Amino acid sequence: MRAVSRWQLLGLSINDVVGSGIYLLPATAAALLGPASLWAVLLAGAAVSLLVLCYAQAASYFDQPGGGYLYAREAFGAFIGFEVGWMLLLTRIATAAALSNGLAEAVAHFWPGAAAGPGRIAVVVGSLALLVVINMVGVRTAARAAVLLAIAKLLPLFLFVAIGAAHFDAGLADAAGALPDDAIPMRNLGQAALLLLFAYAGFENLPAAAGEYRNPRRDIPFALLTMIATVTAIYFAVQWVALGTLPGLAESKAPLADAAARFGGWWLALALTVGASVSILGTNNNTVMMAPRYLLALAADGYGPRALAAIHPRFRTPVVAILAIGLVSLALALSGSFVQLALLSVVSRLCTYLGTAVSVLVLRRRHGDRAEALQLPGGPLIPILATLLSLGLLASASAQNLIAAAIALAVGAVVYLLRRKPEAGSRNA
């Protein structure tokens, strides 16, 4: 049953993008770029819009689940499609594990016991178990939870901007994270590009569950385009207030909470701290919702045990796939740190962006004449620019991350070779 509406999709997309990054972005961006970080946020939003437009165009051609896996498979065949789907799946698992650790770190600000030991384990296990149950019950329940969590995470940010704007100091903003001789090293530019891209990342997950949306060909492009405009405006406003209200912004470990305490008092600082926790939980809800849909699509095409493609007769959700993702994410979360697990997803995510951007160049020739197909201005220009952007960002990644991605692709190739006969309903049966 197609249960998710257009506005719930918008809530899902905002929920997936606005996560822990916005609470750390102002300090790190200021440290790398100084006052120029304000305009870098806008530039990053414009750059990511190229990728968002590619996903929006591809989504307008299909109403099946799978997202980037589906697009690459339809454009370049089963092997390339599988490798993109494999990297999508690994990205989601690593992200769920990283966010569970990040939630424990955020909770530790007001419950120190969550920093390590049994307290940390309780937060990691409890949060993942809660999200698994919510998503097993049904996609409608998960979508409603996403909308509520999106509102809960945005409200503290709106308060931060509204109150902080009255205390903005232009002189303070000009000095924030100022670099010697106003020169920005090239190494800083590369790091900042990756940082800002991943502050906007997560939008690629929305098409994964297209089979459960009411009108995916129209509603997914609407949600994606509305989301990127909204998120860019929020990020710009938050960076502006942080630059102009917190001395020593570049050195702050909790920039929004520190700035809020300075101009709004302890209650606003607490609201921002709680907001960070809710923000992480909300993003992880989307991750636990979308990751099983990638696994479902792969299993239906013959990759992995047949049980992973099963749909629960009552809840109409891929219960086995949801449980599998939850258990693997839990194992990773308990064995690694937030930073280690976050780095694990960096290059794999870029591989999937590149796969979709290149796929659109093929799909637009095959399906561009469909009645509901989104028509982008400039013909192939936007997907070409998105492809170049993805390649440029891959070049900025560390050798360690590139090697890890190469190993992941090699493991994926082995899994591909072990493919069983796909389900009868699969496009590749």
Side-chain angles (χ1 to χ4, degrees):
M1 180 176 64
R2 296 180 180 270
V4 184
S5 70
R6 166 177 288 200
W7 295 104
Q8 286 174 329
L9 283 180
L10 178 59
L12 283 168
S13 60
I14 291 175
N15 210 18
D16 221 345
V17 173
V18 180
S20 58
I22 186 58
Y23 289 88
L24 303 175
L25 172 67
T28 312
L32 290 170
L33 302 176
S37 60
L38 179 63
W39 306 108
V41 169
L42 274 185
L43 182 60
V48 172
S49 294
L50 297 174
L51 294 166
V52 170
L53 285 166
C54 289
Y55 276 85
Q57 184 171 31
S60 72
Y61 300 144
F62 305 100
D63 57 7
Q64 305 114 283
Y69 162 60
L70 171 67
Y71 310 148
R73 190 191 70 193
E74 292 295 310
F76 300 112
F79 178 69
I80 298 299
F82 172 81
E83 287 285 40
V84 170
W86 177 252
M87 297 302 275
L88 278 166
L89 181 61
L90 295 182
T91 300
R92 291 296 87 207
I93 292 173
T95 299
L99 289 173
S100 299
N101 275 283
L103 180 63
E105 292 180 12
V107 171
H109 286 291
F110 48 87
W111 179 35
R120 171 180 168 268
I121 293 174
V123 172
V124 170
V125 175
S127 63
L128 274 174
L130 172 65
L131 296 178
V132 164
V133 170
I134 288 174
N135 281 276
M136 285 173 60
V137 169
V139 68
R140 181 177 293 173
T141 302
R144 287 173 178 169
V147 172
L148 291 175
L149 288 167
I151 293 170
K153 73 167 61 176
L154 292 179
L155 184 58
L157 296 176
F158 288 148
L159 288 173
F160 177 81
V161 171
I163 299 173
H167 298 82
F168 182 83
D169 183 340
L172 197 61
D174 289 338
L179 300 166
D181 303 321
D182 293 326
I184 300 175
M186 286 301 296
R187 181 175 60 86
N188 284 21
L189 289 174
Q191 290 179 4
L194 288 173
L195 165 74
L196 290 167
L197 171 70
F198 291 105
Y200 285 94
F203 60 85
E204 70 277 6
N205 300 316
L206 193 67
E212 296 164 86
Y213 303 157
R214 289 180 186 169
N215 191 348
R217 289 188 187 177
R218 291 186 179 180
D219 291 350
I220 291 175
F222 166 82
L224 287 172
L225 298 178
T226 305
M227 174 279 299
I228 193 62
T230 303
V231 170
T232 301
I234 292 170
Y235 282 10
F236 180 83
V238 167
Q239 187 73 18
W240 177 72
V241 170
L243 283 167
T245 58
L246 182 62
L249 171 63
E251 290 77 40
S252 175
K253 299 297 183 184
L256 299 197
D258 289 345
R262 194 166 180 271
F263 63 74
W266 68 268
W267 71 270
L268 187 57
L270 178 61
L272 268 295
T273 302
V274 173
S277 301
V278 172
S279 191
I280 295 170
L281 187 65
T283 303
N284 217 13
N285 177 62
N286 274 37
T287 299
V288 175
M289 176 184 173
M290 299 302 180
R293 272 67 186 183
Y294 294 125
L295 187 55
L296 170 68
L298 290 171
D301 279 350
Y303 308 108
R306 184 173 280 104
L308 293 173
I311 300 297
H312 193 278
R314 177 183 174 189
F315 300 134
R316 308 306 302 166
T317 56
V319 168
V320 178
I322 292 170
L323 281 172
I325 293 295
L327 290 172
V328 176
S329 298
L330 178 60
L332 269 180
L334 294 177
S335 63
S337 70
F338 173 74
V339 174
Q340 290 171 331
L341 294 166
L343 288 174
L344 187 63
S345 72
V346 171
V347 178
S348 58
R349 194 188 297 269
L350 279 170
C351 290
T352 65
Y353 290 165
L354 180 61
T356 295
V358 177
S359 295
V360 167
L361 290 170
V362 176
L363 296 174
R364 62 181 298 274
R365 293 199 303 269
R366 295 181 186 172
H367 307 303
D369 57 350
R370 290 185 177 179
E372 295 183 347
L374 180 66
Q375 302 296 331
L376 298 181
L381 180 61
I382 288 176
I384 288 173
L385 291 175
T387 300
L388 294 175
L389 172 66
S390 301
L391 290 171
L393 289 167
L394 273 172
S396 300
S398 68
Q400 181 180 4
N401 283 338
L402 290 172
I403 291 170
I407 293 172
L409 288 168
V411 172
V414 173
V415 175
Y416 178 82
L417 293 174
L418 298 176
R419 183 191 187 195
R420 58 176 171 76
K421 184 178 180 180
E423 299 300 307
S426 170
R427 289 290 301 273
N428 286 339

